[in-house]
């Protein structure tokens, strides 16, 4: 169906969506119309972004983000990593461009 139900627009985590809450939604939540709304992030990617982008102790602080691996346990157990080039591994989902970190 060419993604008609879910669309094809991909936005980065935290990116503003539309013009904020409309009047009806704002009323239901007890908020003001126009309250900003942003894109979300699934738990494994949020955990990976936090772990991979964290400041490390001085001994390890120069380790590039593409040389780190985060093991995230939540809804599922995931090994999250970033790379500058796509890495295809048989039986493993991905890679997904800019899924955790834009660009």
């Amino acid at each position: 169906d060419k993604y008609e139900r879910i669309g094809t627009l991909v936005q980065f985590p935290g990116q503003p969506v539309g013009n904020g809450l409309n009047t009806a939604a704002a009323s239901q939540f007890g908020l003001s119309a126009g309250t900003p709304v942003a894109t979300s992030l699934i738990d494994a990617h949020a955990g990976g972004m936090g772990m991979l982008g964290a400041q490390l102790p001085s001994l390890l602080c120069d380790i590039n983000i593409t040389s780190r691996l985060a093991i995230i346990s939540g809804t599922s157990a995931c090994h999250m990593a970033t790379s500058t080039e796509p890495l295809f591994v048989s039986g493993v989902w991905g890679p997904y461009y800019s899924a955790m970190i834009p660009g």
Side-chain angles (χ1 to χ4, degrees):
D1 69 0
K2 301 188 190 251
Y3 307 100
E4 288 180 17
R5 285 194 262 173
I6 63 170
T8 57
L9 176 64
V10 176
Q11 294 184 287
F12 296 123
Q15 185 173 351
V17 177
N19 297 313
L21 292 177
N22 64 25
T23 303
S27 175
Q28 289 178 349
F29 289 113
L31 298 169
S32 301
T35 296
V37 176
T39 55
S40 62
L41 192 60
I42 63 172
D43 58 352
H45 288 100
M49 187 169 68
M51 290 292 295
L52 294 170
Q55 295 292 326
L56 300 174
S58 60
L59 179 62
L60 302 173
C61 67
D62 291 332
I63 295 176
N64 189 295
I65 193 169
T66 59
S67 298
R68 299 180 188 181
L69 173 70
I71 301 173
I72 308 300
S73 297
T75 306
S76 59
C78 301
H79 291 73
M80 307 298 288
T82 61
S83 67
T84 56
E85 300 294 326
L87 300 171
F88 294 94
V89 179
S90 180
V92 176
W93 289 355
Y96 301 106
Y97 179 72
S98 294
M100 284 192 294
I101 300 170

